[in-house]
Amino acid sequence: FAYYMERQDDDSQIVWKYNLKDTMGGIFYYSNIMILNNECEIQNLIKQCPTGYGKCFQENEMVLTSTGYKYAKDVKVNNLVYSMKDNEVVLKRVVDKWYSKKKQIKIKTRNGIEIIVSPEHIMFTQRGYIEAKEITKDDYLYYLCSPLNYGKDIDENEMKFISMMIFDGSCSGENIQFSKPFYTEIYKEFMKVCDELHFGYNNHTCKDRDCNILSIRKNEGRPKELLEKYGLYGYYSTNKRLPQEFFTMSLKQRYEFIGIMLATDGYIPKYSKNGGNNVGITLSNKELCKDIQLLMSTCGIYSNLSYKRSKINEKMFDSWVLTIPDEFIEVIYKNCYCYQKQDSLIERYEYINNLSIKVYSNSVNYPKEVLKDCKEFKKIVNKQWSRNKTFKREIVHKYIND
């Protein structure tokens, strides 16, 4: 039944606003025509209110399905989408879909995730299910971050070629190029991939930029066709997006993509006890960062997205920083290969793993508000309950498992 419906009429044209919350569990809509009986009771009510209306996503929001993230507009009837039931993640079948214009709310979380939904969309918080319009800065949203073993492999060489071109490639015009210092392992891997794809190329040295430029020949238009296939051709570093196929490829290839990301534009600094030097990537493209953040969440890798003004060659520009807390370095270490930066990854992982006090980040631990009804947990942490604002993931997970 209809949960919410709002007509696009001017306020002066709306004749009646009717609420059946007490009788039908929350129908709310505007109606323009009523037929009353002699006792002035409603006999017939003509309305525009599609079945199941409500809980709307903005069409370009990403929805997690059984085969990966998809734009809301691309989700089809009978697709399986991830949902929550009795505090458990479950797959639910889509039974209907329609388009409408209505008010929207943007919700931004501490780790940089932005969600655009209708005001009555139900959100799962530490207070239980509440409507989006009731969300406050004191609320916590449950966020799925777990390795999901769905999807299927795409062509391995195509995946590597596109991944490298996303970060260090120029694909906005006829001159398709890849730039990186010649001595780096990722540059040699790119040449190997081009050989496998039978793409001819030329190498040039760019002394001013301390790198080599690999110019791909036209090869009868095949490189251009491949870039067009994955939606990259004609786009710049500021407006590239992850191909839809990357959200639906296998977990193994998603990990491979993360390794390539870190090997190209990413960074893996030495660990510092003073903080401020997380593993991550800085890009001039907010939407691409958001795409990567979503993809990493399906690999069990949490990340924080923030804005930063950067300076290169005396020029200022907008950039977005995607950082990975050290609690998730082990996931990268065990599943991702970072080419010439692999030694840096191993060094950082081993250093963190040997610390007597494990790394601790408030952004990925459990806030007290989420655990306030767990009486047994309060007994376990004892005096820590009164002085801590958050609790380590390891302690909470052990409590849950026990």
Side-chain angles (χ1 to χ4, degrees):
F1 60 87
Y3 183 77
Y4 184 88
M5 177 63 187
E6 184 176 59
R7 288 179 59 93
Q8 298 302 306
D9 300 322
D10 293 334
D11 288 344
S12 60
Q13 295 176 321
I14 296 173
V15 177
W16 187 255
K17 181 177 174 182
Y18 196 70
N19 193 342
L20 291 179
K21 184 174 181 180
D22 295 333
T23 58
M24 297 187 68
I27 296 183
F28 182 72
Y29 53 82
Y30 286 118
S31 173
N32 283 55
I33 301 176
M34 290 186 300
I35 301 175
L36 307 181
N37 60 21
N38 293 333
E39 285 74 34
C40 291
E41 296 173 341
I42 297 175
Q43 181 174 332
N44 291 294
L45 185 65
I46 299 174
K47 58 187 175 61
Q48 290 192 4
C49 195
T51 302
Y53 194 84
K55 308 173 188 173
C56 293
F57 277 100
Q58 198 267 347
E59 66 175 5
N60 290 321
E61 285 296 294
M62 300 295 276
V63 177
L64 184 56
T65 73
S66 60
T67 57
Y69 273 102
K70 294 182 180 180
Y71 291 114
K73 63 185 178 183
D74 295 328
V75 175
K76 302 181 185 302
V77 173
N78 288 325
N79 281 170
L80 296 173
V81 299
Y82 280 90
S83 184
M84 293 289 291
K85 182 179 181 182
D86 300 326
N87 290 342
E88 296 289 337
V89 177
V90 295
L91 284 168
K92 291 284 189 178
R93 190 175 303 277
V94 176
V95 297
D96 203 355
K97 174 186 174 183
W98 56 88
Y99 294 91
S100 180
K101 292 182 179 180
K102 62 191 308 186
K103 293 179 181 179
Q104 300 286 301
I105 295 177
K106 178 186 282 188
I107 299 172
K108 185 175 181 179
T109 63
R110 183 169 60 179
N111 71 332
I113 290 177
E114 295 178 346
I115 309 165
I116 301 177
V117 294
S118 56
E120 75 289 345
H121 191 97
I122 303 298
M123 312 294 289
F124 191 38
T125 74
Q126 87 285 359
R127 293 191 281 151
Y129 286 101
I130 60 176
E131 293 184 354
K133 62 186 177 184
E134 303 296 334
I135 296 287
T136 72
K137 290 183 179 180
D138 294 325
D139 286 314
Y140 294 86
L141 294 179
Y142 280 80
Y143 173 63
L144 182 61
C145 182
S146 180
L148 302 175
N149 197 14
Y150 61 72
K152 58 182 180 181
D153 287 345
I154 60 177
D155 182 90
E156 183 75 6
N157 290 309
E158 289 186 4
M159 185 276 294
K160 288 183 177 181
F161 178 83
I162 294 299
S163 297
M164 296 177 198
M165 290 297 293
I166 286 173
F167 298 108
D168 280 328
S170 172
C171 41
S172 58
E174 290 298 321
N175 295 322
I176 300 172
Q177 299 176 331
F178 178 81
S179 57
K180 207 71 179 170
F182 179 79
Y183 55 82
T184 59
E185 187 180 357
I186 195 69
Y187 190 90
K188 296 174 182 178
E189 181 68 14
F190 188 78
M191 288 192 292
K192 179 182 176 182
V193 168
C194 287
D195 291 338
E196 292 292 332
L197 293 170
H198 305 293
F199 291 168
Y201 52 84
N202 299 311
N203 279 307
H204 309 279
T205 301
C206 182
K207 295 182 180 179
D208 294 339
R209 295 168 54 192
D210 187 30
C211 70
N212 284 71
I213 298 176
L214 189 148
S215 297
I216 301 174
R217 298 173 195 153
K218 292 188 176 180
N219 295 278
E220 300 177 344
R222 287 184 292 108
K224 177 183 175 182
E225 289 176 1
L226 184 58
L227 290 171
E228 287 176 334
K229 174 182 175 181
Y230 288 96
L232 286 187
Y233 186 75
Y235 288 87
Y236 298 85
S237 60
T238 54
N239 61 1
K240 292 176 183 175
R241 299 292 299 273
L242 278 194
Q244 184 66 51
E245 293 87 348
F246 277 39
F247 290 106
T248 58
M249 63 189 181
S250 67
L251 179 60
K252 169 181 167 291
Q253 286 192 325
R254 278 176 273 144
Y255 281 131
E256 285 185 69
F257 166 79
I258 294 168
I260 291 172
M261 174 192 76
L262 293 172
T264 49
D265 270 353
Y267 39 83
I268 307 176
K270 288 187 176 181
Y271 180 79
S272 170
K273 292 182 179 179
N274 297 324
N277 67 336
N278 289 99
V279 172
I281 186 170
T282 300
L283 300 171
S284 59
N285 186 335
K286 180 182 180 180
E287 297 304 315
L288 180 56
C289 282
K290 289 165 64 176
D291 288 346
I292 296 168
Q293 187 175 40
L294 277 180
L295 183 141
M296 290 200 300
S297 72
T298 67
C299 301
I301 301 173
Y302 183 90
S303 59
N304 295 297
L305 178 61
S306 59
Y307 170 79
K308 175 185 177 182
R309 286 288 285 172
S310 298
K311 186 176 183 179
I312 295 182
N313 298 327
E314 302 303 318
K315 293 183 178 180
M316 301 298 296
F317 66 95
D318 296 327
S319 67
W320 284 266
V321 183
L322 195 62
T323 56
I324 301 169
D326 282 319
E327 287 93 328
F328 298 89
I329 292 302
E330 183 175 0
V331 180
I332 299 174
Y333 169 78
K334 290 184 176 180
N335 297 284
C336 305
Y337 180 66
C338 301
Y339 296 86
Q340 73 277 358
K341 298 177 185 176
Q342 186 68 13
D343 288 343
S344 297
L345 174 63
I346 295 171
E347 181 182 345
R348 188 179 182 96
Y349 168 74
E350 290 180 345
Y351 184 89
I352 291 172
N353 199 45
N354 290 326
L355 289 173
S356 57
I357 300 176
K358 298 301 180 183
V359 290
Y360 180 85
S361 170
N362 280 332
S363 64
V364 295
N365 288 290
Y366 285 82
K368 181 185 291 187
E369 288 88 343
V370 174
L371 301 162
K372 64 182 180 180
D373 294 328
C374 302
K375 295 181 180 180
E376 292 299 321
F377 182 78
K378 289 182 181 180
K379 292 180 181 179
I380 293 172
V381 297
N382 199 2
K383 295 180 180 180
Q384 293 181 39
W385 180 260
S386 60
R387 62 174 182 260
N388 284 22
K389 291 184 178 180
T390 63
F391 292 91
K392 287 186 178 181
R393 296 166 65 247
E394 291 82 2
I395 296 175
V396 178
H397 290 176
K398 183 178 185 304
Y399 162 73
I400 294 171
N401 292 332
D402 290 345

